[in-house]
Amino acid sequence: MILYGFKVGSDEENVIKKVIVEITEDGKSLREVTVDIDKEYKVSPYKEIKMKHRDKIGVVRSFKKNEDKGELKAHLQFSDNNNFGWVDVQDLTEVI
């Protein structure tokens, strides 16, 4: 079973500024990435079935948390067309 762990860093106004994501399977770490605002990332979902925004590159502009669903999303401004989209924060990888 794949599990996602999040460590969230926020400022005095409780605005999320940084997220550390760890993806594990059966206790073994598969991927860990630190996601910061105003930095560039690639949408690279671990699950092969997820196709939305796959392989697009963009800059993280903000985060939103949905406590009811246990989701954490990143608001990305895509580099190819300057449009915006929401992606699961665990689907981001650092651009090398």
Side-chain angles (χ1 to χ4, degrees):
M1 173 188 258
I2 296 174
L3 298 174
Y4 305 104
F6 303 107
K7 295 177 187 172
V8 178
S10 14
D11 63 10
E12 310 80 41
E13 297 169 3
N14 211 22
V15 176
I16 301 172
K17 297 291 184 183
K18 175 190 223 176
V19 177
I20 300 172
V21 180
E22 184 178 17
I23 301 173
T24 60
E25 184 172 24
D26 298 327
K28 180 180 166 186
S29 181
L30 302 175
R31 177 171 38 177
E32 185 173 316
V33 63
T34 301
V35 182
D36 292 301
I37 289 187
D38 294 331
K39 294 207 175 160
E40 195 171 60
Y41 297 90
K42 180 178 181 180
V43 181
S44 181
Y46 187 75
K47 294 180 180 178
E48 293 178 9
I49 197 166
K50 289 179 84 173
M51 298 304 292
K52 188 170 185 179
H53 304 307
R54 181 179 285 278
D55 295 328
K56 291 189 89 171
I57 294 174
V59 176
V60 173
R61 297 300 181 195
S62 65
F63 298 101
K64 75 175 176 182
K65 190 190 296 188
N66 184 338
E67 297 284 347
D68 295 337
K69 294 183 180 180
E71 294 178 334
L72 188 56
K73 302 259 186 188
H75 199 211
L76 242 59
Q77 183 175 14
F78 298 109
S79 300
D80 61 348
N81 58 14
N82 281 333
N83 287 339
F84 289 87
W86 289 100
V87 299
D88 292 324
V89 75
Q90 68 265 18
D91 293 344
L92 299 176
T93 58
E94 295 173 357
V95 176
I96 299 173

